[in-house]
């Protein structure tokens, strides 16, 4: 208990210091959010979260003050690999399919196949990969991904504590503290961003921890717990996919069509948008925790799903795309022909008629005329 509090405090302070210290190098290296046109926001805040979480958790496991246990250390190592993949995406702008493939490969090493079986393990890998990318989509405005990550981490830690998985609970508590330290710099208006490094790392740890916690349970009950935990990220992805399909836009083309963008269109401030989405995520997390603890029926997850569907349908009517401009029709002008030089027409002389001679000049004397004549 005392070590958990000390570890959380150390993670919070270390993340806050690293996020502030890495801001200037990120600006000098050009590692900024390219979606923002008004002011540059560095993207090494997520690296600070991943580094602080890994250092504090590894220190507790090495000193044996808070051993992570079997399977949890593999989750931490795989999460560090996913964070490195996200950092590469921040630097070189990797495509989404590479992020999905790398996350799925990392998830394949942490799923407990002896408890889930091969079919269940494949479903778990797909869930971890999809939930990780869905959490990354929440990093579209200041503070949203960090706030949702803190609340989800506390909920997943409560589920792990109910299963007496102390190492996993400590890891999630350290993650929540690190995200809180990041929010000291990432609360809107943010001075640093989470980026793909931090969002993929956080989403992977949360999804993998939820899968480890629910391993050995039936599929329906597991879906009733995992669904509310990731309800907000799933709603954001569904909203983006539907709006882009209806507008005829490519699915992988970015745009201001996420949850936070639409709430800002309705007149909310950045802080208000973060608070409202945090409350919505907290409601889903509370439902998942209650269902896992047995204090609510699995059918309670339908309320979370229905609420997410209503949010998607309501915000789908908010216009976010600029109207397309019609091309101006131009009238084709005829090609200019080169000007032809006009040659004077020479008339042939009339036969028998001599042309009149010019009169002699009065300035020429008679002897000269005779001489030259």
């Amino acid at each position: 208990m005392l070590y958990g509090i000390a570890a959380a405090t150390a993670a919070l302070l270390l993340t806050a210091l690293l996020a502030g210290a890495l801001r200037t190098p990120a600006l000098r290296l050009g590692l900024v959010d390219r979606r923002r046109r008004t002011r540059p926001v560095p993207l090494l805040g997520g690296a600070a979260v991943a580094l602080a979480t890994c250092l504090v958790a590894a220190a507790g496991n090495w000193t044996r003050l808070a051993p992570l246990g079997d399977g949890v250390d593999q989750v931490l190592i795989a999460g560090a690999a996913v964070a490195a993949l996200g950092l590469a995406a921040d630097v070189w702008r990797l495509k989404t399919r590479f992020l999905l493939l790398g996350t799925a490969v990392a998830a394949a090493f942490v799923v407990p196949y002896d408890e889930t079986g091969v079919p269940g393990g494949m479903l778990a890998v797909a869930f971890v990969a999809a939930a990780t990318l869905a959490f990354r989509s929440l990093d579209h405005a200041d503070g949203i991904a960090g706030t949702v990550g803190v609340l989800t981490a506390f909920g997943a830690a409560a589920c792990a504590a109910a299963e007496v998985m102390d190492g996993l609970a400590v890891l999630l508590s350290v993650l929540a503290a690190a995200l809180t330290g990041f929010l000291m710099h990432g609360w809107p208006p943010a001075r640093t961003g989470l980026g793909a490094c931090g969002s993929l790392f956080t989403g992977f740890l949360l999804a993998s921890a939820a899968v480890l916690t629910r391993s050995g349970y039936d599929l329906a009950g597991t879906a009733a717990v995992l669904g509310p935990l990731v309800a907000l990220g799933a709603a954001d992805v569904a909203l983006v996919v539907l709006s882009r399909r209806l507008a005829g836009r490519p699915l992988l083309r970015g745009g201001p069509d996420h949850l936070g963008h639409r709430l800002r269109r309705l007149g909310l401030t950045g802080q208000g948008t973060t608070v409202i989405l945090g409350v919505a995520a907290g409601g889903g997390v509370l439902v998942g925790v209650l269902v896992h603890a047995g204090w609510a029926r699995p059918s309670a997850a339908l309320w979370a799903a229905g609420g997410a569907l209503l949010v998607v349908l309501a915000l789908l009517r908010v216009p976010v795309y600029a109207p397309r401009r019609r091309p101006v029709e131009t009238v084709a002008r005829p090609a200019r022909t080169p000007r032809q030089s006009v040659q004077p027409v020479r008339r042939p002389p009339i036969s028998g008629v001599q042309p009149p001679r010019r009169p002699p000049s009065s300035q020429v004397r008679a002897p000269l005329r005779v001489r030259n004549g």
Side-chain angles (χ1 to χ4, degrees):
M1 182 64 180
L2 294 178
Y3 176 79
I5 297 175
T9 305
L12 188 150
L13 297 177
L14 183 59
T15 305
L17 292 176
L18 288 176
L22 294 176
R23 185 176 183 274
T24 301
L27 291 175
R28 292 180 178 178
L29 295 176
L31 298 179
V32 297
D33 193 350
R34 299 176 178 90
R35 297 171 297 179
R36 304 176 188 270
R37 300 179 181 178
T38 56
R39 56 187 177 88
V41 178
L43 291 181
L44 289 184
V49 172
L51 187 59
T53 303
C54 292
L55 287 178
V56 173
N61 189 34
W62 179 66
T63 58
R64 309 306 298 176
L65 293 176
L68 298 179
D70 296 336
V72 182
D73 52 352
Q74 298 179 2
V75 171
L76 185 62
I77 296 174
V82 172
L85 178 64
L87 183 60
D90 290 331
V91 176
W92 293 296
R93 303 183 66 178
L94 299 180
K95 295 184 178 181
T96 306
R97 59 174 175 266
F98 295 112
L99 301 180
L100 180 63
L101 179 61
T103 306
V105 171
F109 287 95
V110 301
V111 172
Y113 297 98
D114 53 346
E115 298 183 8
T116 61
V118 176
M122 296 177 63
L123 289 177
V125 169
F127 168 78
V128 171
T132 302
L133 292 185
F135 189 84
R136 179 176 180 260
S137 70
L138 293 176
D139 188 31
H140 57 265
D142 296 341
I144 294 179
T147 303
V148 175
V150 170
L151 297 174
T152 309
F154 278 128
C159 295
E163 295 295 323
V164 200
M165 302 176 69
D166 297 334
L168 187 58
V170 170
L171 177 61
L172 293 172
S173 301
V174 170
L175 176 62
L179 290 173
T180 305
F182 160 77
L183 286 176
M184 294 181 179
H185 300 272
W187 188 259
R191 291 176 294 171
T192 184
L194 199 60
C197 177
S199 59
L200 290 179
F201 174 78
T202 304
F204 182 83
L205 285 190
L206 294 176
S208 301
V211 167
L212 290 179
T213 303
R214 292 296 303 180
S215 59
Y217 286 88
D218 60 310
L219 184 60
T222 301
V225 174
L226 300 184
L229 290 178
V230 298
L232 189 67
D236 185 75
V237 172
L239 179 62
V240 169
V241 171
L242 285 177
S243 61
R244 292 179 184 178
R245 278 296 186 184
L246 294 177
R249 295 168 61 92
L251 291 180
L252 299 181
R253 179 182 177 183
D257 48 9
H258 293 264
L259 289 172
H261 298 145
R262 295 173 187 268
L263 292 178
R264 291 298 300 270
R265 288 269 182 169
L266 294 177
L268 292 177
T269 61
Q271 295 86 350
T273 299
T274 303
V275 170
I276 287 182
L277 292 180
V279 171
V285 170
L286 180 61
V287 171
V289 172
L290 293 178
V291 172
H292 177 76
W295 296 341
R297 296 180 180 180
S299 59
L302 298 177
W303 290 97
L309 181 60
L310 288 178
V311 169
V312 170
L313 295 179
L315 295 181
L316 191 62
R317 303 177 61 87
V318 178
V320 292
Y321 302 122
R324 297 181 179 179
R325 297 180 179 180
R326 296 182 179 179
V328 180
E329 298 181 358
T330 57
V331 179
R333 296 182 178 179
R336 295 183 178 180
T337 57
R339 296 183 179 179
Q340 298 179 356
S341 60
V342 180
Q343 300 292 337
V345 180
R346 297 181 180 180
R347 297 180 180 180
I350 302 176
S351 60
V353 179
Q354 296 294 333
R357 293 183 178 180
R358 292 181 179 181
S361 176
S362 60
Q363 298 179 359
V364 181
R365 292 178 297 178
L368 186 59
R369 286 202 301 268
V370 174
R371 190 183 308 165
N372 294 339

